[in-house]
Amino acid sequence: YFKALAAAHPERIKLFNYGRTWEGRPLFYAAISSAENINQLEQLEANMRRLADPRITNEADAAKIIEQQPASVWIASSVHGNEISPADSSMVTAWHLLAHQDQATNSLLQDTIVYLDPLQNPDGRARFVSRYYATLGLEPSADRIAAEHNEPWPNGRTNHYLFDMNRDWLTLTQPETQGRVRALQRTFPLLFVDSHEMGGDSPYYFTPEAHPYNPFITQPQREALHWVGEHNANHFDANGIDYYTREVFDAFYPGYGASWPLYHGTVAMTYEVGSSRGHVFRTRDGETLTYADTIQRNFIAYMATIETAHQHRQALLERFYDYRSTAI
């Protein structure tokens, strides 16, 4: 699908391979922005690497870069292969950004680069999908005790060698994680979303995180996390979608996908959507959650986050440079 988008809109989307899984599946991300930004993407990414090294970029040079540099958001999906909707939500987001050519979307992309890593764990997803359709009846069942909702070991969460790659960002033992780190150290996005799923009885979770916070997460970074959370909440309120923050998911362990980028100056966060884990799921309060519901909720969160980056472009760039400076 992403290849089809790139063929249809080569001036506004570029695809980049960053590795292969143990089973040989390609790992890639897409960069989406205005034609002008995509045309000079290498230079814009070089600018971020210059901001990332204050030893060679003084404050005056940094100010010149920040004045012209677009914001950037990286949305990473489905590092746990059986958390399926973020991957498809990234396709919806890509299609929307390319197809919805109104003034608001064009303005958004003029000042923002959107990076989409649509499927971080294709091996695990393939394992989940194969098992799901092997246990599906004549039609999907919403009953939580149906076979399709009860995934046996080894489930699709992990990669081929059963590593939970959302714990691997410090040790870097897996080729998938190693490739992602190289890509992030090339691009240095300002915001990073690690998009997951949780149990279907829960609504939607987004930043700010629960305590404890790691003490090396700075106050300006925590403030930026609140910017994202508050703007997400406005969109969720407008659409009548339940959500919560500051519970369950902490910001202490530095080896999560939503943690590791923080210590490089990126403002990183976890999103969790209540999962249908298939086509339909009946929650404990009697509602029927569909796969389309989960994709829509992710899409709303993704677009709200992109808008936040756009609105706070200069402040996020200044804080990124300041973080790198104070770290030294």
Side-chain angles (χ1 to χ4, degrees):
Y1 184 78
F2 274 90
K3 287 180 179 177
L5 290 179
H9 303 281
E11 75 285 358
R12 289 185 292 136
I13 178 174
K14 290 187 72 172
L15 306 184
F16 299 88
N17 289 320
Y18 68 82
R20 286 191 173 273
T21 69
W22 285 115
E23 295 179 13
R25 292 184 174 88
L27 296 163
F28 74 96
Y29 65 89
I32 300 174
S33 193
S34 66
E36 180 183 3
N37 289 338
I38 292 299
N39 185 52
Q40 56 180 347
L41 186 61
E42 287 189 15
Q43 181 58 54
L44 294 175
E45 291 178 347
N47 288 347
M48 289 305 301
R49 294 194 295 273
R50 289 176 60 195
L51 288 179
D53 193 351
R55 296 169 300 180
I56 62 172
T57 307
N58 61 35
E59 291 185 9
D61 290 337
K64 292 177 183 177
I65 293 173
I66 290 169
E67 185 178 356
Q68 302 294 330
Q69 186 74 8
S72 52
V73 180
W74 187 293
I75 299 173
S77 298
S78 300
V79 70
H80 297 142
N82 57 0
E83 298 176 7
I84 48 178
S85 67
D88 287 346
S89 304
S90 71
M91 293 197 290
V92 173
T93 304
W95 170 80
H96 174 82
L97 292 172
L98 294 168
H100 195 238
Q101 297 184 45
D102 65 345
Q103 183 177 351
T105 305
N106 289 336
S107 175
L108 201 66
L109 294 180
Q110 193 65 41
D111 294 328
T112 315
I113 303 168
V114 180
Y115 295 100
L116 297 172
D117 184 353
L119 184 52
Q120 299 181 85
N121 184 5
D123 292 356
R125 181 185 175 92
R127 189 159 61 247
F128 170 86
V129 171
S130 173
R131 191 277 320 166
Y132 178 80
Y133 285 109
T135 55
L136 192 66
L138 292 176
E139 61 182 35
S141 172
D143 195 323
R144 69 181 63 229
I145 67 170
E148 66 205 71
H149 291 297
N150 289 273
E151 190 181 5
W153 185 94
N155 59 39
R157 178 182 177 91
T158 55
N159 73 351
H160 176 81
Y161 283 111
L162 309 187
F163 274 78
D164 184 337
M165 292 188 291
N166 199 34
R167 308 293 186 271
D168 189 45
W169 287 73
L170 283 179
T171 49
L172 298 174
T173 64
Q174 301 303 296
E176 298 96 330
T177 320
Q178 294 164 11
R180 278 190 279 279
V181 164
R182 284 192 295 268
L184 289 173
Q185 290 180 328
R186 174 178 175 80
T187 56
F188 285 111
L190 297 173
L191 297 182
F192 180 95
V193 174
D194 197 17
S195 189
H196 292 255
E197 289 187 339
M198 56 185 168
D201 293 307
S202 297
Y204 203 102
Y205 165 84
F206 49 74
T207 191
E209 287 69 27
H211 288 280
Y213 267 79
N214 191 293
F216 289 103
I217 300 174
T218 65
Q219 187 57 39
Q221 288 180 314
R222 294 181 64 172
E223 183 181 21
L225 290 169
H226 276 265
W227 294 342
V228 175
E230 288 166 4
H231 195 60
N232 286 0
N234 290 338
H235 279 271
F236 275 63
D237 289 342
N239 286 277
I241 300 171
D242 292 341
Y243 60 91
Y244 67 95
T245 68
R246 291 167 288 198
E247 295 180 34
V248 182
F249 303 102
D250 67 87
F252 188 79
Y253 173 58
Y256 297 132
S259 299
W260 182 91
L262 280 158
Y263 310 104
H264 291 260
T266 296
V267 177
M269 64 214 79
T270 299
Y271 289 178
E272 299 266 357
V273 64
S275 176
S276 62
R277 283 296 203 274
H279 290 285
V280 289
F281 178 79
R282 187 178 305 110
T283 65
R284 294 196 186 280
D285 59 11
E287 294 185 3
T288 299
L289 177 68
T290 70
Y291 191 49
D293 292 332
T294 63
I295 290 174
Q296 181 196 37
R297 293 167 189 180
N298 283 328
F299 170 69
I300 291 170
Y302 296 173
M303 289 304 301
T305 307
I306 295 166
E307 289 174 5
T308 300
H310 176 254
Q311 293 167 3
H312 295 276
R313 180 196 68 83
Q314 182 169 341
L316 290 169
L317 284 162
E318 290 171 348
R319 290 174 183 218
F320 175 81
Y321 179 75
D322 182 67
Y323 184 95
R324 303 290 296 196
S325 300
T326 55
I328 291 172

